[in-house]
Amino acid sequence: MTVEQIVSEGKDQFPIGMRVLAVDDDPTCLLLLGTLLRRCQYHVTTTSQAKTALKMLRENKNKFDLVISDVHMPDMDGFKLLEHVGLEMDLPVIMLSANGDTKLVMKGITHGACDYLLKPVRIEELQNIWQHVVRRKKKDRCNSGSKDKPHPDSGEAAGIGNVDNNGKLNKKRKDQNEDEDDERDENGHDNEDPSAQKKPRVVWSVELHRKFVAAVNQLGIDKAVPKKILELMNVEKLTRENVASHLQKFRLYLKRISCVANQQANMAAALGTADSAYLRMGSLNGLGNFHTLAGSDQLHNAAFRSFPPSGVLGRLNTPAGLGIRGLPSPGTIQLGHVQNSGNPTNDLSKLQSFVPGNHNTNILQGMPMSLELDRLQHNKSVGHIGELPTTDSTTVFPGSGSLVDARITGFSNNPLLGVTSNSLMFEGSSQQATSHTSVSAIGFQNGNALSDFTSIAPASNQLQDSKADSQGQASPINCNAGQIIRSAPQEWNAPRKDAPYQSHALINSSIPINSAMIQLGQCLDRNNSIFHRTTDLDSVGPLNFVDPLSIKHSEGDNYIMEPSVIEKEGYLMFQPRPHGSHVPDNTGSLKDLASAMMKQVPTNLSFVAGRRFRMQWLFSKDFHMKIRM
Amino acid sequence: MDVVNQLQRQFIDYSASLHREGFLDDQFTQLQKLQDDNSPDFVVEVASLFFEDCEKLINNMARALEQQQGVDFKQVDASVHQLKGSSSSIGAMRVKDVCIAFRSFCEAQNRE
């Protein structure tokens, strides 16, 4: 049966002809499984190598409806494969194993498996697996349908942020564009290729996510029910199902970051201590590394160092705190809260504590964002943020989420940034479903003025894309900060590991600061990845301007040292923008943010961390961190 | 025809005895059910595949166990796990049970 046939036949014949991909290193079992599936009248493809399976899946996202995979495989862990598939293709995956240990089953489910079967596999169980496919399709359809926005790459975008950079980039790009142009574009759907997808998807843009978080915060994380959230959000074409699934992801995200946040919060408490920031970063890294943050750890740590405000970062992480106090987007703060719901008190308190100390309202703003960032970061960003710097810059941002926080706090100087970053965070998260938010948050910070939170968030997605773009954009670097954020998101979006790095690289060239910002964004995004895949972080790009500064500030202490790092960050922001396009947007937003920041910053360089950053020099070309802590 | 019937009866008896003795379990029956006109040799195929795989695994295990300088139990465990999976897939119950016991030994790091 051809794909078209299957699609066109619709559900008439379903589940007959459902295309299943079976992966198992045991040939006996594989043969048996294949035969059983054929007996159920499914269309089966078998392979004993996980890598082959992934390749096949990547070739054509629409080729399969369902994947069944063994847990124990020699070339790749079954859970890893599961995550990849879930992220890249958003296909239902069923785990299979001879070992029915509850812990393993739990692990499978938390990694996103639709089901967990035990060997020996029986035909009755296989006869029911089609339900998962239907369920998944239905959910996607609802999500996208309500928004009435076709998902450009339904196949690829299936996942919130495809692990693939491209996926993220696309998302980000879309988001960015949308965010940038109009924050109203909540759905952030992209019009890239509506025809490409089978079912429209709701794209959780930064803006949208911000609203979502605001609504959740308002209701209280425990009482937040989709229906009420929907009402509060008051967004057209958003259905309860969309909100429900988004809420679910959000909750997962919060849980994840709460663990990280707690760690960070502790660290953040130290605010003034860059080390703590580092620690956080480190911890974040650990946490953030969802998938392959690998390497980010180093980056993060490094990043933190550069970031004096590391403490800030920590604080920032508590998205709740980020609420961007002063920031215009109260919603974002909520996000912070929401995010914090996981670690609610820890982070927030931290942030708050910081803020007062810093006497920078901005900081507060930054803080909330950081909170978010934290959150975001925790999930993924932690790893990512560090990653953002793309290994090079690691310096500040990725710090794994903590960076994000730091950024935010750092940015606090830039009141706008805080907001923006937050928004970014939110957006990022929303977009990225996974750690975007963090990125977006960062984006905000960078550009306080960034107004384009979404951009940041999308940026995260876009980060991946933007990374590429960022590079080009490097010039606008001032706003790079924003970009950084963006890139950050991108990174998140992207398999999270790859993206950030790329963006970082870009940033390097563009604006040191920006990179910082972006990183934050990225970090944020990472965190938010949970929330939003779509990182509109791209918009973060614009933030570049502000962000870099802010980033610098935060980093100021530590950062000074790495202008390159900053640059990286700057790129980050750029990166998010899917290709140049992002960057411009980001820069714009960043500029706004930056300007906003600048205004505020000059007065309060001090980050949450208590450092006094000279905003002035932020604006100066000499991004060397003159920030004095 | 008689011969065929005889053979069939023998086969049934043999299978039944195997079941009774616990060598085979329901899974094997399922396997037999899967065999039909489209795949007449299915059971044979699966069984031979199983034996091949088994052989490999057992060799691995033997090698691992013969190590003088400390047996790599992890490896042995992994092999046993795999064997357990295979045997349960085809319904070789006894083998599977033995595997389970084997695994607990592995965990206890008991060479004996």
Side-chain angles (χ1 to χ4, degrees), chain B residues 28-48:
Chain B
F28 194 68
T29 324
Q30 297 251 344
L31 226 68
Q32 286 179 312
K33 284 200 206 133
L34 281 179
Q35 174 158 313
D36 62 1
D37 290 335
N38 285 345
S39 48
D41 294 326
F42 179 66
V43 182
V44 173
E45 258 182 64
V46 177
S48 30

Side-chain angles (χ1 to χ4, degrees), chain A residues 459-488:
Chain A
S460 39
N461 287 323
Q462 299 173 342
L463 278 180
Q464 302 190 358
D465 293 324
S466 31
K467 288 212 247 187
D469 297 327
S470 329
Q471 295 192 340
Q473 304 271 344
S475 36
I477 305 205
N478 285 338
C479 298
N480 288 336
Q483 295 196 343
I484 300 188
I485 300 193
R486 276 202 287 201
S487 46

